[in-house]
């Protein structure tokens, strides 16, 4: 169990007045929150070669500094505005997974896993019309900044294999291969696909490890 208390404070200058005679006012934004993050894992040795792992946890991802800084940038030419948001809270995820591991030798493994993540307070850009002090002549303009909005669900499966060909005669007994594939179905609370999550990904690695030499060639998709 982890308990994380976050205290955030940022000091900025807010511009007002006219463009010819701007006035800068100090602004102090504060945000405090506490998150409790439990985690549990258990392993069942079904046989000496076959393991089943169960896991459940709650995790968090803090917003970036650029997202938290409440800076305001007004583009007069495009009649748009962008900024940060000091009131952002972390994105939280409840994670559940079960994995199966079958060891076929001292260094060989076949594995598979199922996973699900329930995510809330997803941080995404939100745009609304707003008028700003000092830029009244522009009227209402689109203002884009990050906000905590909506939920998401990520579920999928992964399979993998690790195999060393130590049954081959020297020097080929140092050859090996590692391969894995992950399928991920990620959707936001509105049912649309979640941006930034690949549906299909895989890795293929050829390697050689023997004596003082180790090398590998990897292809990642």
């Amino acid at each position: 169990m982890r308990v994380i208390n976050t205290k955030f404070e940022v000091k900025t200058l807010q511009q007002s007045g006219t463009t010819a005679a701007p006035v800068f006012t100090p602004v102090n934004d504060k945000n405090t929150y506490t998150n409790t993050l439990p985690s549990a894992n258990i392993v069942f040795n079904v046989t000496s070669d076959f393991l089943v792992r169960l896991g459940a946890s709650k995790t968090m991802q803090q917003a970036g500094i650029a997202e938290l800084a409440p800076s305001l940038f007004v583009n007069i030419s495009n009649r748009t505005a962008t900024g940060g948001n000091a009131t952002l809270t972390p994105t939280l995820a409840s994670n559940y997974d079960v994995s199966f591991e079958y060891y076929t030798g001292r260094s060989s493994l076949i594995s598979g896993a199922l996973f699900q993540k329930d995510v809330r307070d997803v941080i995404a850009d939100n745009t609304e019309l707003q008028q700003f002090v000092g830029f009244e002549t522009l009227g209402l303009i689109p203002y884009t900044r990050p906000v905590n909005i909506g939920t998401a669900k990520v579920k999928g499966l992964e399979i993998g294999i690790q195999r060393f060909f130590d049954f081959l005669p020297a020097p080929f007994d140092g050859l090996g291969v590692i391969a894995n594939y992950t399928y991920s179905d990620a959707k936001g609370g509105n049912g649309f696909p979640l941006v930034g999550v690949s549906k299909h990904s895989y890795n293929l690695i050829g390697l050689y490890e023997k004596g003082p030499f180790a090398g590998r060639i990897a292809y990642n998709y």
Side-chain angles (χ1 to χ4, degrees):
M1 177 80 72
R2 289 189 301 156
V3 178
I4 300 178
N5 176 257
T6 302
K7 295 181 179 180
F8 172 76
E9 181 178 1
V10 58
K11 298 178 181 179
T12 55
L13 294 175
Q14 180 175 330
Q15 180 180 344
S16 60
T18 63
T19 305
V23 177
F24 296 95
T25 305
V27 177
N28 190 15
D29 289 280
K30 296 182 179 181
N31 198 0
T32 301
Y33 43 84
T34 300
N35 300 98
T36 302
L37 307 175
S39 176
N41 298 275
I42 187 169
V43 181
F44 296 95
N45 289 78
V46 181
T47 68
S48 59
D49 300 326
F50 181 54
L51 277 64
V52 178
R53 300 179 185 268
L54 301 177
S57 65
K58 188 175 183 180
T59 55
M60 61 181 280
Q61 181 181 15
Q62 297 274 19
I65 294 298
E67 296 173 309
L68 288 167
S71 306
L72 173 65
F73 302 93
V74 178
N75 190 317
I76 300 177
S77 301
N78 295 335
R79 299 175 63 88
T80 60
T82 57
N85 185 356
T87 65
L88 288 174
T89 56
T91 298
L92 300 173
S94 298
N95 313 287
Y96 312 95
D97 59 83
V98 54
S99 64
F100 309 90
E101 303 173 7
Y102 178 59
Y103 294 87
T104 58
R106 292 182 303 169
S107 56
S108 298
L109 165 69
I110 300 173
S111 64
L114 301 173
F115 61 86
Q116 177 174 312
K117 301 176 182 291
D118 297 322
V119 189
R120 65 182 177 89
D121 293 335
V122 177
I123 297 175
D125 285 338
N126 181 62
T127 302
E128 59 184 15
L129 295 177
Q130 192 167 328
Q131 188 178 55
F132 298 97
V133 177
F135 301 93
E136 289 85 357
T137 56
L138 298 178
L140 294 172
I141 61 176
Y143 176 42
T144 302
R145 68 171 186 163
V147 296
N148 291 106
I149 181 171
T151 60
K153 185 181 292 291
V154 182
K155 55 185 179 180
L157 60 88
E158 52 190 22
I159 55 176
I161 183 172
Q162 174 180 298
R163 176 66 169 169
F164 271 91
F165 305 111
D166 48 10
F167 56 87
L168 294 176
F172 304 106
D173 53 347
L175 290 171
V177 64
I178 299 175
N180 57 67
Y181 165 78
T182 301
Y183 169 80
S184 180
D185 180 24
K187 293 182 179 178
N190 53 10
F192 291 103
L194 197 63
V195 175
V197 180
S198 299
K199 185 174 288 291
H200 303 280
S201 60
Y202 60 86
N203 305 278
L204 181 61
I205 304 170
L207 56 124
Y208 183 85
E209 294 182 2
K210 187 174 178 64
F213 179 80
R216 58 180 55 199
I217 299 176
Y219 177 78
N220 308 293
Y221 175 84

